[in-house]
Amino acid sequence: MNAPTPEFGKPGSELVLRLLSASVLAAATIAALWAGGLVFAVLVAVAAVLILREWMAMSGPFSFRAAPWALMAFVAVTVMTGREEPLQSLGFTVLVAAALLLARVSEPRVAWLSLGIVYAGAPAVAVVALRGADTFTFASTGAVAVVFVLAVVWATDTAAYFSGRLIGGPKLAPRFSPKKTWSGALGGALAGVVVGCLVVAAAGVNVSVALVLIALLLSAVGQVGDLGESAMKRHFGVKDSGVLIPGHGGIMDRVDGLVAALVVAAAIGLARDWLSGGGIAAGLLIW
């Protein structure tokens, strides 16, 4: 999820609501991450189902009523099985999405639903695979890997907001997000790299040049993901993806940067694991 960023001029009561909501979400995330295993997988599965529900609410309605519930159950199952077999889970997700895409002849909006399956399922499987099956230890490589990605994206989001507001300058992508600036993007990327590297260094992981470049890549990918969700909301004419989180909007509004970053991080870890072994999380962090 994106780190909550205070807004200048916000009424005090709404800012307090945003901070309270963010605190509750952060506490739940940290507790589940610490526990790992089934506890973490359940929390991620619930988040994935809620993301798919918000996606369908924005891009629907659909002429068939039962299928969305079946697809939400499918996403939950694939996320849960991603603890042991992430590639198979991701493969099933892509196959179902492809099948839905082929079915768009009879229901044009199914094309959006097929994208929603991947958007909700792929990052959820990725984060569960990164965390691994270890339980009740925050010092495990899997937990550090997840915290690394969260830290990079959260720091990027927060620093981009403040540096963009303070420095200003040319707009980054005015067509999709009129408030984002190049100064914010660069300031966010710098903060994401610094904070991400500090997190892994505090956990005893060697901060190599490769890890710095990975942090920079994840920061950039996270910002692209943020712009992508903004483009979708603009396309469907909505301000927020939902109203589930008081003061913040929907789940999608909080994870837009993480969606792509988690998938890229897991892909890097998988590639290194294939080449040298050691696990997905170690493949991401140990260079």
Side-chain angles (χ1 to χ4, degrees):
M1 68 186 74
N2 283 347
T5 51
E7 297 183 15
F8 296 110
K10 275 281 184 185
S13 59
E14 185 171 348
L15 180 57
V16 170
L17 184 61
R18 287 171 63 88
L19 292 174
L20 287 174
S21 299
S23 298
V24 171
L25 288 172
T29 302
I30 291 171
L33 182 58
W34 184 292
L38 182 61
V39 175
F40 185 66
V42 167
L43 176 69
V44 173
V46 170
V49 168
L50 292 174
I51 289 168
L52 181 58
R53 183 174 179 272
E54 289 180 352
W55 181 289
M56 290 190 292
M58 275 198 290
S59 59
F62 300 96
S63 59
F64 45 93
R65 296 181 180 275
W69 292 101
L71 290 173
M72 285 191 285
F74 165 77
V75 167
V77 171
T78 55
V79 172
M80 297 295 289
T81 57
R83 288 190 301 150
E84 301 296 337
E85 301 292 345
L87 285 179
Q88 287 85 336
S89 297
L90 185 59
F92 283 130
T93 300
V94 172
L95 283 175
V96 170
L100 287 170
L101 193 60
L102 293 175
R104 72 184 188 279
V105 175
S106 59
E107 174 59 84
R109 287 187 180 270
V110 169
W112 279 102
L113 181 55
S114 67
L115 291 176
I117 291 290
V118 176
Y119 187 91
V125 172
V127 73
V128 168
L130 275 174
R131 176 59 183 87
D134 294 340
T135 57
F136 300 106
T137 171
F138 187 73
S140 70
T141 305
V144 174
V146 175
V147 173
F148 170 65
V149 180
L150 293 176
V152 169
V153 175
W154 284 351
T156 296
D157 185 65
T158 302
Y161 176 83
F162 283 109
S163 58
R165 291 298 294 261
L166 293 172
I167 301 173
K171 302 298 182 182
L172 179 63
R175 180 181 176 184
F176 304 127
S177 184
K179 294 182 179 180
K180 288 182 171 58
T181 62
W182 279 102
S183 62
L186 294 174
L190 177 61
V193 171
V194 171
V195 173
C197 291
L198 286 175
V199 165
V200 295
V205 176
N206 178 52
V207 179
S208 63
V209 174
L211 196 59
V212 170
L213 294 176
I214 288 173
L216 181 60
L217 173 63
L218 296 180
S219 176
V221 168
Q223 294 191 63
V224 172
D226 192 340
L227 287 173
E229 202 232 359
S230 296
M232 180 183 176
K233 289 191 292 186
R234 185 173 288 268
H235 176 79
F236 287 108
V238 298
K239 180 178 181 296
D240 296 316
S241 64
V243 295
L244 185 63
I245 308 173
H248 288 274
I251 296 290
M252 282 179 61
D253 295 321
R254 297 302 93 205
V255 303
D256 47 9
L258 276 175
V259 167
L262 284 169
V263 173
V264 170
I268 293 171
L270 277 169
R272 290 286 312 290
D273 182 39
W274 287 339
L275 292 174
S276 56
I280 299 174
L284 176 66
L285 296 178
I286 310 301
W287 291 81

